[in-house]
Amino acid sequence: MDLDFKIVNIVATARFRGTIDIELIKMTPPNGFTLEGFNEKKKLVELSIKKKIQDDRSLRKRKPTHTPKEKEIRIRVKVFERVINVFGATSIEEIRDIVSRILSHAGIDVSTASIKVVNVVVITEIGRKIDIYELSKKLPSQLAPDIFPGLIARVPNSNNMGNISFLIFSTGKIVILGASSMEKAIEAFEKIKDKVIEATLQ
């Protein structure tokens, strides 16, 4: 079974040499960025930048001759004096561009920046309904339908998967959380794939 995997969110942290003038970023945000908040005590400026992406819901419903619709999302950025945190990007290139624009605006050498991915959120569709009650018996998991509509699961007997977990829905949608890359997310899913397929409904 060949599946398509898509990154929907990357959380990353950038460190660099030098100190950002937080007051400067607050008073004159970089071009294209919107000021969302300011915390003087923490010396933190919260920014956002708009991004247009293809609306997958319209893609599933559209006729072949129709142009897929776009939706607008905001990538959130927390700027500290020595650290930049990015939430909501979908590629490392996008994160590098955001960090570079902020550092350049602050007069800091972009080449000193080091970016670390903290979390990659990946989604896929199995293409079948899943019996999440049956699956909950086969994986280390939590199932509380009155609180959350999906199964929260982990890879069984695996210490090298870190904090990777899965949100598995009866519709066939699967969200992979906690990976450091797309490759790690797919590697983790491969370890539970057979059990997921066994629990699918024809």
Side-chain angles (χ1 to χ4, degrees), residues 16-189:
F16 43 85
R17 293 178 188 170
T19 302
I20 291 179
D21 184 343
I22 295 298
E23 193 66 26
L24 167 68
I25 302 297
K26 172 194 170 187
M27 298 303 295
T28 57
N31 186 40
F33 289 82
T34 301
L35 178 66
E36 297 287 349
F38 174 69
N39 188 316
E40 186 173 1
K41 185 176 181 180
K42 294 182 178 181
K43 294 187 177 180
L44 159 67
V45 173
E46 296 186 61
L47 305 174
S48 69
I49 185 168
K50 294 179 181 179
K51 170 188 175 182
K52 288 186 176 181
I53 63 171
Q54 186 172 278
D55 189 340
D56 288 344
R57 291 173 298 179
S58 72
L59 186 63
R60 288 195 292 266
K61 295 177 182 178
R62 76 182 180 92
K63 296 179 181 179
T65 55
H66 290 181
T67 302
K69 294 181 180 178
E70 290 185 328
K71 64 179 179 179
E72 190 172 82
I73 64 170
R74 288 178 180 268
I75 299 172
R76 304 282 178 171
V77 186
K78 291 187 176 182
V79 182
F80 297 87
E81 288 185 324
R82 297 181 180 274
V83 176
I84 297 174
N85 295 329
V86 182
F87 309 83
T90 54
S91 71
I92 295 298
E93 291 73 24
E94 198 168 48
I95 294 169
R96 287 198 186 101
D97 178 63
I98 288 170
V99 170
S100 295
R101 290 167 66 179
I102 294 172
L103 292 181
S104 296
H105 186 73
I108 292 177
D109 185 355
V110 174
S111 67
T112 67
S114 174
I115 296 172
K116 179 182 179 181
V117 173
V118 178
N119 181 20
V120 175
V121 180
V122 176
I123 61 171
T124 189
E125 294 272 357
I126 201 77
R128 303 177 191 171
K129 299 284 187 180
I130 300 173
D131 185 340
I132 58 176
Y133 294 94
E134 183 65 26
L135 185 58
S136 68
K137 302 173 186 177
K138 300 178 179 181
L139 294 174
S141 60
Q142 297 175 351
L143 184 61
D146 54 327
I147 300 174
F148 183 72
L151 178 70
I152 303 172
R154 302 183 71 85
V155 176
N157 304 319
S158 181
N159 296 323
N160 64 344
M161 286 290 101
N163 293 318
I164 297 178
S165 59
F166 309 88
L167 305 181
I168 303 174
F169 299 90
S170 59
T171 58
K173 180 179 179 180
I174 299 171
V175 182
I176 308 169
L177 307 166
S180 58
S181 67
M182 170 75 91
E183 291 74 22
K184 286 289 185 182
I186 295 174
E187 179 185 349
F189 178 73

